[in-house]
Amino acid sequence: VGFPLCASTDEVTVTLDAALNPGTDSEYTYCENGNPFNMTSLLEGNPNPGGQWTDPAGNPINPTFTPGINNAGIYTYTITTPDCEAFA
């Protein structure tokens, strides 16, 4: 049954880009009158430097969160290379 002499195979090698390590997600509770803090220091793991933070609306921001000025919500740290993007 079939054509066994016409079979062929191929392989695909997948490699993860080591430069794409944004760290891992974390949660932080703060007081509205608390001191500003660097959000990058709250990421778990070993996040690569050079990423971009965005606020809950998707606007680029600096990594310093200032309670009472910045709104509560999900802030995202994104690492981008020419071929890939990763975020935490």
Side-chain angles (χ1 to χ4, degrees), residues 18-87:
L20 289 176
N21 181 5
T24 56
D25 299 349
S26 65
E27 291 185 27
Y28 183 72
T29 302
Y30 63 91
C31 295
E32 191 168 337
N33 61 350
N35 293 326
F37 56 89
N38 185 305
M39 293 186 291
T40 307
S41 67
L42 301 177
L43 290 172
E44 296 179 9
N46 296 307
N48 290 72
Q52 175 64 58
W53 280 98
T54 52
D55 67 15
N59 301 309
I61 61 166
N62 70 52
T64 302
F65 184 94
T66 305
I69 294 177
N70 298 106
N71 294 320
I74 297 174
Y75 288 75
T76 305
Y77 182 66
T78 304
I79 300 281
T80 305
T81 65
D83 299 319
C84 299
E85 180 176 88
F87 59 90

Side-chain angles (χ1 to χ4, degrees), residues 1-8:
V1 176
F3 300 97
L5 298 178
C6 296
S8 66

